[in-house]
Amino acid sequence: MTALAGATTQGGTLDSSGPKVRILYRDGAGTMHLDWPREDLETALQDADGTLWLDIEDPEDGPTRLAESILQDVFHFHPLAIEDALKETHIPKIDDWDDYVYIVFHASAIDDRTDDLVLQELDVFLGLNYLVTYHTGPMCFIDEGRQAIERDPRDRMKDGADHLLFRFLERSVDQSLKAIEVLDERIDDIQDQIIARPSPESLQSIFRIKRSAIHLQKTFGPQREVLNKLARDPYKPVKLEHRVYFRDVYDHIVRIHDISESLRDLIAGTLDTYLSVMSNRTNEIMKTLTLVTVMFMPMSFIVGFWGMNFFGETLAFQAPLPKALLFVASLIVMCLSPILMLNYARRHKWF
């Protein structure tokens, strides 16, 4: 407790460069404490009728000793669960430790500049009367949940820690749905670009979105299993009447998983469209070059046949017509032949 007390600053958090610890506590009498001191965590844990929410936000460069001391010395979690929480595993899962469950969940977002998938890992310890959330860096749905409680502290935590967890997981799934919507909009934009002016940059964008969609779908599979277990398995911290809420989130993530599969089909269709457009452009270019070659074939024939030796004594052909007239006639034929070939191509709709 000495380490915890020494790290306390005003507002229950550390400075912006260190870890942030926020504690909300609703006691058994229904009184809401929006800034519960860390020194009294054990008092809140002993209140079986109360609900405690502890949120730890570590810096993105790595876990701190403060977070480890809280998880180990105050809550007495298993060392293996603490180790998994303090290092990002990137694998959604749920572990049953009898009196509490340990959950790894991910929120998804899309980087607007690169179209890459950004995963934010949320580690959760759910007990009978407490909820501990651990993450590195800010998470918008965690902040929104805390602000909602602060705006209406009478009703938000009255249903217990498991219901509070349900609200966070629901917000996380909604954030992942927004990521899919962003990818869908980007696909529409790329399709418009391909039709208007295809370029190698469009192909690179297609493959970036495809990589993000595949990664997103791989994440939804394990998360769907986590929610399925919360909705059906008899975990001690999850009340029987609250399983229906997790089943509702499970249904949402199943639908999102199906949407992500259709998203992959859209990406494949976009890639086929790009290849078709590029193939058509290549065919148009080849057709144009071929027509130009055909247009100048009569000119090449005349030049090669006559040798263009109309003046001087090198013309062996003795024609009754003057050489100047033959020269002018050859020029006329050479000028008219490309025009006639061009009109012939247009009449037969080669262009």
Side-chain angles (χ1 to χ4, degrees), residues 42-80:
E42 294 183 356
T43 302
L45 289 175
Q46 294 173 1
D47 184 3
D49 297 327
T51 302
L52 172 69
W53 173 32
L54 170 66
D55 180 58
I56 304 175
E57 178 186 327
D58 257 344
E60 296 183 359
D61 54 358
T64 59
R65 182 67 184 89
L66 175 62
E68 183 179 0
S69 64
I70 293 176
L71 299 178
Q72 182 176 353
D73 299 336
V74 178
F75 290 91
H76 307 291
F77 294 136
H78 196 279
L80 292 178

Side-chain angles (χ1 to χ4, degrees), residues 133-272:
T133 54
Y134 174 84
H135 52 96
T136 56
M139 303 185 78
C140 61
F141 66 91
I142 292 290
D143 295 336
E144 291 172 357
R146 185 178 60 257
Q147 293 170 3
I149 294 174
E150 292 173 350
R151 286 195 300 267
D152 189 7
R154 295 172 298 175
D155 301 330
R156 285 296 177 178
M157 294 177 61
K158 68 176 182 178
D159 294 322
D162 55 345
H163 190 270
L164 184 61
L165 173 62
F166 148 73
R167 299 188 65 86
F168 291 148
L169 297 185
E170 184 182 36
R171 291 175 181 268
S172 174
V173 172
D174 291 341
Q175 181 174 325
S176 299
L177 180 59
K178 293 180 181 178
I180 292 181
E181 292 175 351
V182 171
L183 289 180
D184 187 56
E185 292 176 357
R186 289 290 296 125
I187 292 175
D188 291 339
D189 294 339
I190 292 175
Q191 288 177 344
D192 294 338
Q193 293 175 6
I194 290 174
I195 299 300
R197 189 178 58 185
S199 64
E201 289 75 13
S202 300
L203 184 60
Q204 295 176 4
S205 299
I206 292 173
F207 283 114
R208 282 198 301 267
I209 294 177
K210 182 178 181 180
R211 182 175 60 249
S212 299
I214 292 174
H215 195 184
L216 190 63
Q217 191 174 25
K218 288 181 178 179
T219 303
F220 279 147
Q223 292 194 160
R224 182 176 57 180
E225 185 64 23
V226 169
L227 287 169
N228 186 37
K229 290 182 177 181
L230 284 172
R232 301 183 184 279
D233 292 354
Y235 295 114
K236 187 182 296 185
V238 180
K239 300 182 180 68
L240 180 62
E241 62 271 19
H242 287 170
R243 291 184 189 175
V244 64
Y245 297 109
F246 294 104
R247 191 174 302 120
D248 180 68
V249 182
Y250 170 78
D251 293 338
H252 288 173
I253 204 169
V254 167
R255 287 196 294 269
I256 292 177
H257 186 269
D258 294 339
I259 294 174
S260 65
E261 289 183 348
S262 63
L263 191 65
R264 294 179 61 181
D265 295 336
L266 286 176
I267 295 172
T270 303
L271 181 58
D272 292 340

Side-chain angles (χ1 to χ4, degrees), residues 29-45:
T31 303
M32 193 71 198
H33 306 273
L34 299 178
D35 190 15
W36 188 256
R38 288 202 296 271
E39 296 84 353
D40 297 334
L41 275 175
E42 294 183 356
T43 302
L45 289 175

